[in-house]
Amino acid sequence: MATRNELFKAALDYLYDNGKVAGQRELSALTGITETTISRILNNHVKQPSEDTIRKLNQAFGNIFNVGYFRGEDVPMIKDTESSLPTHELAQPSIDPSSAVNAAITAYVELTNRLKQEMSDRLADKDTIIAEKQARIVALEQTVADKDAIIRARDASILELERKIANLNASDLSSYPFAIGAAEPEKRINVSPYQTKEP
């Protein structure tokens, strides 16, 4: 009897064969099941698909699957109103070992390619972020340099103004200690008229 993973794979094959989905990425987008979960089921890395995964798959395609099919019950995969295949083929899918190997290799290659693309995209995003941050750093450094230049110019203006104020204070005549326009009085020597000159 087929395992639940094999039953799930058969359901995916039905979707691929009938053009309802083109690949794992599209399947993930339609169902909300992560690509990682789909790959793990296809590669038998999980014991069995969860009920939530089966429900999401069924709801995404209009509930065309018999839920009991995924549990291994003796029911057709597709409900009678939607089925275009004989019941015995749907209930017990036969898997050719070589097809299973090819499917596993294909799934591995798809997963590897997807991971490489994701890594490439992330590296491109990283380079973009680094470039943006470097541009921001350059802009901030320029802003700091501009502000430093403004500060130096203001310091020079303040120094010049202080010199002018000092010069004005030095030429201010109101602080001059002597009266302007008056000469300093001369010292007179008083000579008595009775004093005789020595010969």
Side-chain angles (χ1 to χ4, degrees), residues 188-198:
R188 294 185 180 184
I189 301 174
N190 292 330
V191 178
S192 169
Y194 303 107
Q195 184 177 358
T196 60
K197 293 182 180 180
E198 293 181 3

Side-chain angles (χ1 to χ4, degrees), residues 1-4 7-8 11 48 51 54-55 58 63-79 90-93:
M1 183 176 176
T3 65
R4 293 191 181 188
L7 296 173
F8 190 86
Q48 62 186 19
E51 290 292 325
I54 293 168
R55 178 184 50 78
N58 203 16
N63 295 309
I64 61 172
F65 298 107
N66 282 314
V67 178
Y69 164 80
F70 296 101
R71 297 181 186 127
E73 297 173 7
D74 189 18
V75 294
M77 179 196 317
I78 306 298
K79 291 182 180 177
L90 295 173
Q92 299 294 332

Side-chain angles (χ1 to χ4, degrees), residues 10 13 15 30-31 50 55-56 74 87 94 96 102 113 117-118 120 122 126 147 150 157 164 172 174 181-182:
D13 287 340
L15 294 173
L30 288 172
T31 61
S50 68
R55 178 184 50 78
K56 286 180 179 179
D74 189 18
T87 301
S94 59
D96 180 19
N102 289 338
N113 290 339
Q117 184 60 45
E118 286 180 4
S120 175
R122 287 182 183 176
K126 180 182 175 184
K147 287 184 178 179
I150 291 169
S157 296
K164 288 183 178 179
D172 186 6
S174 64

Side-chain angles (χ1 to χ4, degrees), residues 10-85:
L12 296 188
D13 287 340
Y14 170 81
L15 294 173
Y16 295 143
D17 293 343
N18 287 276
K20 295 185 180 292
V21 67
Q24 287 186 21
R25 183 169 291 180
E26 184 180 356
L27 180 65
S28 176
L30 288 172
T31 61
I33 304 168
T34 66
E35 288 185 61
T36 303
T37 300
I38 295 168
S39 292
R40 286 175 58 82
I41 293 170
L42 293 176
N43 292 307
N44 291 321
H45 291 155
V46 295
K47 191 172 183 180
Q48 62 186 19
S50 68
E51 290 292 325
D52 184 54
T53 299
I54 293 168
R55 178 184 50 78
K56 286 180 179 179
L57 178 70
N58 203 16
Q59 286 179 349
F61 296 97
N63 295 309
I64 61 172
F65 298 107
N66 282 314
V67 178
Y69 164 80
F70 296 101
R71 297 181 186 127
E73 297 173 7
D74 189 18
V75 294
M77 179 196 317
I78 306 298
K79 291 182 180 177
D80 290 339
T81 56
E82 297 277 338
S83 179
S84 60
L85 296 175

